[in-house]
């Protein structure tokens, strides 16, 4: 999207960076689509807002880029010292509503960054690099459709379950971004108007239940209702301080109470997927994001809820609900793919 | 989809028939897209199931076709007596999940017809006519996108609010039917898993709230809670016998209680549209179906709920929510368009 030097050398390596609610994850992608090297830093958090925090996040991006630039794997894949003019193009995935010019309109899970112009901020710090800014889930879908679990399907629903929920739609063989670039913002379908408040300003959004954040919320609800005694005891006795990670760890260790809470999240995942299948009729559903790390605990519950809730049930063709082949790297890999080809298509 | 005689004469007139939950509506469409004549009969209802009721509905279709065949407007538009070989092709819209071969997989609002093979039944009764079977909302979208309120927009969400809710998606300039033909079955997004039972077998589907059927349900709920005293008195004193039409009539006559119930339906319409906008990011939303007859009572409430609930609110481009230009005829007109061109595209 942004200009910059460029030569055929840039086709060898491309960088992809996924700015998440908890971490900034970068990859350098080789010309055959292989990940050469990975780098990550924590996403800066704090009370700062707008450009101030935008600058902090931009510095985290600079940090990740510097790590990739310094990696011997990158140098080895770029024959002949390319210098800045031949520096790898950088694709950047951000959560939230990204318009067709790469501007971030609204980002509930990166609220500090509302109104931030990533192009300007990043160009300030890396004036001679080329950037492409896109919605993180769109990039994950691009990667999985091109190289991963969605390969060979013309209708794929990509869902990233992280701090919040991202989504992207492959329809008739191509990524579709909607009339203004915002399609796939599926985490903010309201599933209960009286539900818990969401950072987006409304209540009861799907991502309040079916994401990493949702797991924490359901866990604290269960803890306060006395349904997680062992977990509460382990975390110091205060039900309000129980986090999603605590419940996942306890469930993996065999705690039946914890397992039921994680399965409840799985039910909510399946619930939303069934609704989306009514709208979109995908051939395959690919799930990515951090919540997949504990997928063994809830994927079956999600599949069961989907089968129970989707319109037509057994009269319609079954749809596989599968984890992203690239796991949590899907967004970063897709960012690199988009950077190399100069856009989503 | 089905074979049959054919000649260039058939291009002059095409028939479109929309099988709804309450009526079978047919139009004869002239070569310039104008409605030459309309015919309608009530949809047969009763205890019969499967092929038996399928035959009754097929006879209603035959009845509508006979009315169109006999219309002087059709004869005038078909110069030179065409005979059967040149008889107008017939497009037929049915509610529910229609697969890519025109088979009806699942149809909550025409439950008697589950498993019915419309091609076989209609061919039995009109052996030498050509038929095309499609989902009713897809056909309405085709008509409105080509000739009506969605003209000129590449991203249109079509929603038909009748006995139930139908939906269809124009994405990047083309009707999209999904991986198996079922896309746009938006009425069966579950909005409250503990809500009222739906004919589809689940609970709390959107169409339990935001359709003609939903209006009746919300009206009886209000009546039983004592919130519709005047309407209940007018309809004989039994709150359980209040119908949606009673409330609409009272609201149009100025009854404030009735008005609030109709506006509640409008709120639910806007609620679902906001969810769908998060998923699809349309540029325009076109509403059709019988509920639009009372649109003046609830459209503003729907628009207000949409604006309040859609992610990003004022930070995103506004989207007009407009009535179908062809009103309740949209499905039938689209059926005729599809019949003439031999398919949806």
């Amino acid at each position: 999207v942004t200009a910059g030097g460029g030569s055929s050398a840039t086709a060898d390596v491309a960088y992809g960076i996924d700015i998440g609610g908890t971490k900034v994850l970068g990859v350098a992608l080789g010309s055959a689509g292989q990940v050469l090297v990975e780098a990550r830093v924590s996403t800066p958090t704090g009370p700062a807002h707008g450009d101030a925090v935008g600058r902090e996040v931009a510095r985290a991006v600079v940090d990740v880029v510097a790590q990739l630039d310094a990696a011997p794997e990158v140098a080895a894949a770029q024959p002949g010292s390319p210098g800045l003019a031949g520096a790898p193009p950088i694709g950047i995935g951000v959560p939230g509503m990204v318009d067709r010019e790469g501007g971030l309109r609204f980002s509930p899970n990166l609220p500090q960054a509302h109104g931030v112009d990533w192009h300007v901020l990043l160009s300030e710090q890396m004036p001679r690099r080329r950037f492409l800014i896109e919605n993180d889930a769109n990039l994950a879908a691009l990667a999985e459709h091109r190289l991963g679990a969605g390969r060979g399907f013309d209708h794929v629903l990509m869902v990233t379950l992280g701090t919040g929920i991202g989504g992207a739609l492959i329809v008739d063989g191509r990524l579709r971004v909607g009339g203004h670039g915002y399609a796939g913002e599926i985490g903010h379908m309201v599933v209960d108007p009286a539900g818990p408040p969401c950072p987006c300003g409304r209540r009861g959004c799907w991502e309040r239940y079916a994401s990493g954040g949702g797991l924490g919320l359901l866990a604290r609800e269960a803890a306060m209702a006395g349904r997680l005694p062992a977990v509460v005891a382990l975390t110091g006795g205060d039900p309000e301080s129980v986090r999603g990670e605590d419940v996942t760890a306890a469930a993996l260790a065999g705690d039946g109470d914890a397992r039921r809470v994680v399965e409840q999240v799985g039910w909510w995942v399946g619930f939303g997927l069934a609704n989306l299948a009514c709208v979109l009729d995908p051939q395959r559903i690919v799930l990515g994001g951090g919540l997949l790390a504990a997928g063994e605990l809830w994927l079956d519950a999600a599949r069961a809820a989907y089968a129970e809730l989707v319109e037509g049930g057994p009269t319609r063709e079954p749809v596989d609900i599968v984890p992203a082949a690239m796991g949590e790297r899907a967004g970063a890999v897709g960012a690199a793919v988009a950077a190399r080809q100069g856009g989503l298509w």
Side-chain angles (χ1 to χ4, degrees), chain A residues 1-342:
Chain A
V1 177
T2 307
S7 78
S8 61
T10 61
D12 294 327
V13 178
Y15 293 172
I17 295 173
D18 188 0
I19 302 180
T22 55
K23 64 177 177 296
V24 177
L25 174 65
V27 300
L29 205 68
S31 53
Q34 79 282 25
V35 173
L36 300 169
V37 62
E38 181 193 301
R40 59 173 79 199
V41 301
S42 294
T43 304
T45 53
H49 276 268
D51 280 4
V53 75
R55 279 199 187 88
E56 286 177 35
V57 174
R59 271 192 290 271
V61 172
V62 171
D63 187 0
V64 167
V65 170
Q67 287 183 44
L68 297 175
D69 280 343
E73 296 88 343
V74 171
Q78 295 224 105
S81 173
L84 266 180
I90 303 169
I92 297 184
V94 296
M97 290 165 46
V98 179
D99 65 31
R100 290 191 147 185
E101 283 72 48
L104 183 68
R105 289 295 183 94
F106 190 69
S107 187
N109 291 304
L110 211 63
Q112 320 92 313
H114 278 181
V116 162
D117 186 326
W118 293 106
H119 273 296
V120 169
L121 284 183
L122 290 166
S123 300
E124 263 177 34
Q125 308 215 15
M126 295 180 281
R128 299 180 57 195
R129 304 294 283 252
R130 289 172 298 148
F131 302 103
L132 177 145
I133 316 277
E134 248 304 331
N135 171 273
D136 52 1
N138 282 343
L139 295 170
L142 181 64
E144 290 290 328
H145 185 233
R146 198 71 66 81
L147 305 164
R151 204 167 173 169
F153 293 89
D154 279 341
H155 295 265
V156 180
L157 171 61
M158 174 87 213
V159 181
T160 60
L161 305 159
T163 306
I165 298 179
L169 325 173
I170 305 286
V171 175
D172 283 323
R174 218 188 80 158
L175 187 63
R176 308 289 172 176
V177 303
H180 316 91
Y182 316 140
E185 280 286 299
I186 58 181
H188 298 280
M189 298 187 299
V190 174
V191 297
D192 180 0
C198 182
C200 79
R202 276 154 288 272
R203 287 182 164 273
C205 292
W206 185 35
E207 71 171 40
R208 284 306 88 216
Y209 302 89
S211 65
L215 174 61
L217 214 67
L218 290 170
R220 284 185 289 281
E221 200 178 283
M224 289 193 270
R227 286 187 281 116
L228 278 176
V231 176
V232 172
L234 273 172
T235 54
D238 176 12
E240 295 211 38
S241 70
V242 169
R243 297 161 310 155
E245 303 90 284
D246 302 323
V247 180
T248 311
L252 284 168
D255 180 330
D257 295 325
R259 222 179 155 92
R260 273 184 287 282
V261 171
V262 182
E263 284 168 0
Q264 202 185 345
V265 173
W267 185 88
W268 278 108
V269 171
F271 170 89
L273 296 181
N275 278 359
L276 289 163
C278 289
V279 180
L280 297 164
D281 183 24
Q283 294 161 329
R284 176 158 276 206
I285 298 173
V286 179
L287 305 181
L291 202 63
L292 266 290
E296 62 185 278
L297 292 172
W298 57 264
L299 261 171
D300 285 343
R303 290 175 179 133
Y306 173 88
E308 184 201 323
L309 289 168
V310 70
E311 188 202 5
T315 67
R316 66 194 291 152
E317 292 80 353
V319 170
D320 286 333
I321 300 173
V322 300
M326 290 167 217
E328 62 173 355
R329 285 173 169 178
V333 170
V337 170
R340 172 176 288 137
Q341 69 191 23

